Amino acid sequence: VIAPWRMEKFRNTFPGRTELIAYCNAKNIPVIPTVTDGTGYRQMSTQLATPAGRSRVVGLLTNLVTSNGYDGIDLDWEGFAFVDGGSSWSTTRPRWAAFIASLGTALHARGKLLAVTAPGGLGTSSDSTGYSVYAWSLIGPYVDRLRIMAYDYSTSRVGPNAPLSWTQKIVDYAAAYLPVSKVELGVPLFGRDWLTTVAGTCPVGVKTSGKSTIRVSRAVALAASKHASPVRQANGEMMFTYAVP
């Protein structure tokens, strides 16, 4: 799987997909494109509800891989977690697991690879804070890589991005159900810049709450420019505060 920043470099070098694939093949770089889901509220789950529906999607993806000479496919289907709602997970979970079993079998029969990207959080139905819909324990035998997005722990209020205890819990759970050679951990090279306090009255149109994303290198430079001292937190992350005039 080509990381986004590396892909951008390739885009600036090669005029099209054919040239990019040829370059990767020459360098023995596996070409495993990522497919995202944009089908809308619970539509993907509905497509996977029947054997015929699952077979149709398996056929489409398998043909995509074989007809383009890809080495496999990566599914980054986040609608299950962030669009459909937790109340649908008990229904979607077995549909998803059956689909992955069929897709993995079809791809492996053709010498191709299957990767699944899933949000951080445990894949167990007993963990109310995790994304149990992805059923890591059920899909493990059929995937070649489980790519875990171990970040965005705090999204609605100030907090850690990837606390060590949470990350370790994810790794331990994944390793209990999959060979460690199948597990890839996505770690953040970014932080969050939170607006926490506003003094006085701001002009109309000026944000008074929220957050933005900041790269680690930019955060270091920002701390230096504000004469702020980052402090290691108990969760393992560094944090600092600063004021804007």
Side-chain angles (χ1 to χ4, degrees):
V1 177
I2 301 174
W5 57 88
R6 190 173 292 175
M7 177 62 81
E8 190 61 39
K9 176 183 177 182
F10 287 158
R11 283 177 181 155
N12 294 333
T13 305
F14 302 101
R17 183 183 62 185
T18 301
E19 291 81 6
L20 173 58
I21 293 175
Y23 174 86
C24 291
N25 289 338
K27 299 293 185 180
N28 293 318
I29 301 173
V31 180
I32 306 177
T34 294
V35 175
T36 59
D37 55 331
T39 52
Y41 178 69
R42 300 195 181 182
Q43 289 182 10
M44 183 58 75
S45 178
T46 300
Q47 290 189 49
L48 305 182
T50 64
R54 293 191 290 271
S55 179
R56 176 179 177 275
V57 181
V58 167
L60 290 171
L61 291 172
T62 302
N63 181 66
L64 176 68
V65 172
T66 56
S67 63
N68 288 282
Y70 298 145
D71 295 291
I73 202 76
D74 168 50
L75 302 185
D76 184 7
W77 291 4
E78 301 183 23
F80 295 155
F82 305 119
V83 177
D84 292 356
S87 62
S88 68
W89 291 355
S90 60
T91 299
T92 300
R93 179 182 168 95
R95 297 175 180 178
W96 161 256
F99 163 68
I100 291 297
S102 296
L103 179 59
T105 299
L107 290 175
H108 293 156
R110 294 162 175 80
K112 305 298 184 179
L113 303 174
L114 174 59
V116 167
T117 296
L122 307 187
T124 168
S125 58
S126 64
D127 178 24
S128 61
T129 63
Y131 299 101
S132 59
V133 65
Y134 292 99
W136 298 355
S137 61
L138 300 181
I139 68 174
Y142 304 100
V143 302
D144 299 286
R145 293 291 185 274
L146 175 65
R147 309 177 69 217
I148 304 170
M149 299 183 287
Y151 43 81
D152 280 342
Y153 178 83
S154 303
T155 58
S156 59
R157 59 182 179 180
V158 177
N161 194 14
L164 288 178
S165 59
W166 174 72
T167 303
Q168 186 64 57
K169 186 178 180 182
I170 292 171
V171 170
D172 290 344
Y173 181 83
Y177 289 99
L178 292 90
V180 293
S181 60
K182 288 188 175 185
V183 180
E184 294 183 351
L185 191 68
V187 296
L189 295 178
F190 65 91
R192 299 299 188 190
D193 190 1
W194 296 86
L195 178 57
T196 58
T197 304
V198 176
T201 302
C202 291
V204 175
V206 174
K207 290 181 61 175
T208 58
S209 63
K211 68 178 184 296
S212 59
T213 301
I214 184 169
R215 292 184 178 182
V216 172
S217 57
R218 170 63 183 142
V220 172
L222 178 62
S225 69
K226 300 297 182 181
H227 304 289
S229 299
V231 176
R232 180 75 65 182
Q233 306 298 297
N235 56 47
E237 297 189 347
M238 302 290 284
M239 186 178 74
F240 64 91
T241 59
Y242 67 97
V244 177

